[in-house]
Amino acid sequence: MIQMPLIATKRLIDAQVMEKKIHYTPVDKPEIPKLLPVSKELILEEPLSINVQGKTYSVIMRTPGEEKAHAAGFCLSEGVVDHPDDIADIALCNGEDSNVAAVMLTKERANAVADLLNRKGFVSQTSCGICGREIIEDLSEILESVPQQLTLSISEILEIIEQMDKVQQLKHRSQASHAALIFNKKRELISVSEDAGRHNALDKAIGKLFLSHRLPEASIALLSSRASYEMVQKCARAGIEIVLTLSFPTALARDLGESIGMTMVAVRKKGFHLFTGGHRITEK
């Protein structure tokens, strides 16, 4: 008899339980006293088509805003560009209020990444049906080991974590956004972005530094989400050494982080969980 893996069984049970617990109640039922109209800002989520050299490269769901930075950060993390000067132009097809960002590369860069742009099923945040080994092998083509220049004490980690709540304006208003904060070697906050999507928030934060030629300053990232392999990929492309998260990484993310020498720490209420790169973390 073939036994279903325990984790898969648990997920199936959880799904069945959730189906029994979730009930939809219309809001227009005045006969229910406790059911009141809610006046609450909801965070926006709309598609953004990122076109490269006149062709659609990816369509992603994101919170509108910072489209040029988002497209630049996304292209950097995917390996489409390595330097701001690889980009000839980023145009928003309908002005600033646009759901299409058209990225034009320089002729030299377009020739250099022609195979990448033409490949089918290249690893990206929209990929599926690829095993973990294949993901690591594909990413090895565009990722280098991160710098080994920084150490971080427990007290410094706590100081960095405290800044998350101070800058999450969208979260305070909507309770539905993710945030990505990037710090330099002096532990100074140099970029922050929020979005309904965790990938998008990180792309935007990285993209702002990239377009302003300040990406070499990036050393530490603080993410409001878990660290999936895509998030590690984006941080690695930005040269970030230390990734702090408020949730645990996936196993694949941990393997990828270890392979490139990245330090990964999950900060929870009960303490710190160190997954890779312990040589960078000090007690004082």
Side-chain angles (χ1 to χ4, degrees):
M1 179 182 295
I2 299 176
Q3 294 183 337
M4 184 181 291
L6 178 61
I7 187 170
T9 305
K10 184 178 185 300
R11 286 173 180 166
L12 181 60
I13 294 173
D14 288 346
Q16 292 171 343
V17 170
M18 287 304 296
E19 286 180 358
K20 294 178 181 178
K21 286 185 177 180
I22 295 176
H23 300 280
Y24 173 71
T25 305
V27 296
D28 56 347
K29 280 187 161 294
E31 66 271 22
I32 302 179
K34 292 184 179 180
L35 192 60
L36 302 174
V38 176
S39 178
K40 184 69 177 177
E41 290 185 286
L42 300 179
I43 193 167
L44 293 177
E45 188 174 24
E46 296 179 359
L48 175 66
S49 176
I50 297 178
N51 297 351
V52 181
Q53 299 302 93
K55 297 181 180 180
T56 300
Y57 185 89
S58 183
V59 178
I60 53 184
M61 297 300 294
R62 97 298 185 202
T63 298
E66 303 176 323
E67 280 77 19
K68 290 186 178 181
H70 193 169
F74 180 83
C75 286
L76 175 69
S77 68
E78 291 284 315
V80 175
V81 297
D82 285 333
H83 190 275
D85 292 341
D86 292 334
I87 300 173
D89 187 34
I90 301 178
L92 302 182
C93 295
N94 297 314
E96 294 302 315
D97 185 19
S98 177
N99 284 343
V100 179
V103 180
M104 294 302 297
L105 306 176
T106 63
K107 182 178 180 179
E108 293 77 13
R109 186 61 185 177
N111 290 335
V113 296
D115 290 343
L116 169 60
L117 297 180
N118 291 329
R119 282 180 64 181
K120 300 294 184 182
F122 184 76
V123 175
S124 75
Q125 65 190 55
T126 55
S127 297
C128 59
I130 304 175
C131 75
R133 178 183 56 78
E134 291 172 327
I135 288 174
I136 296 294
E137 290 176 354
D138 271 357
L139 289 178
S140 67
E141 297 181 14
I142 63 169
L143 298 183
E144 298 178 355
S145 295
V146 297
Q148 304 286 319
Q149 303 170 346
L150 190 64
T151 60
L152 205 60
S153 68
I154 298 299
S155 61
E156 287 172 328
I157 292 177
L158 290 173
E159 291 174 359
I160 288 173
I161 295 296
E162 288 177 357
Q163 298 195 49
M164 175 73 80
D165 188 61
K166 298 177 182 178
V167 300
Q168 286 190 277
Q169 298 179 8
L170 272 180
K171 180 182 179 181
H172 294 320
R173 292 166 56 186
S174 67
Q175 298 299 311
S177 70
H178 281 292
L181 288 68
I182 300 178
F183 300 80
N184 62 19
K185 293 181 178 64
K186 296 180 181 179
R187 289 67 167 166
E188 298 168 335
L189 181 61
I190 56 175
S191 186
V192 59
S193 285
E194 291 184 86
D195 195 284
R198 55 196 173 92
H199 301 92
N200 302 336
L202 182 55
D203 275 336
K204 290 178 179 180
I206 290 172
K208 285 191 280 190
L209 293 175
F210 183 60
L211 289 176
S212 62
H213 294 258
R214 297 184 61 196
L215 194 57
E217 300 177 34
S219 296
I220 305 165
L222 171 60
L223 310 178
S224 64
S225 65
R226 65 185 174 89
S228 58
Y229 83 86
E230 308 101 320
M231 303 293 273
V232 173
Q233 171 190 345
K234 294 175 188 297
C235 289
R237 284 287 295 167
I240 291 171
E241 295 184 49
I242 300 176
V243 176
L244 308 175
T245 62
L246 301 189
S247 188
F248 289 170
T250 63
L252 184 59
R254 186 262 176 204
D255 290 346
L256 179 57
E258 184 176 53
S259 71
I260 57 177
M262 180 181 287
T263 293
M264 300 173 63
V265 180
V267 182
R268 310 288 284 176
K269 290 182 178 180
K270 293 184 179 180
F272 299 82
H273 298 264
L274 177 65
F275 291 92
T276 64
H279 60 283
R280 291 194 185 88
I281 306 302
T282 65
E283 186 175 355
K284 295 182 181 180

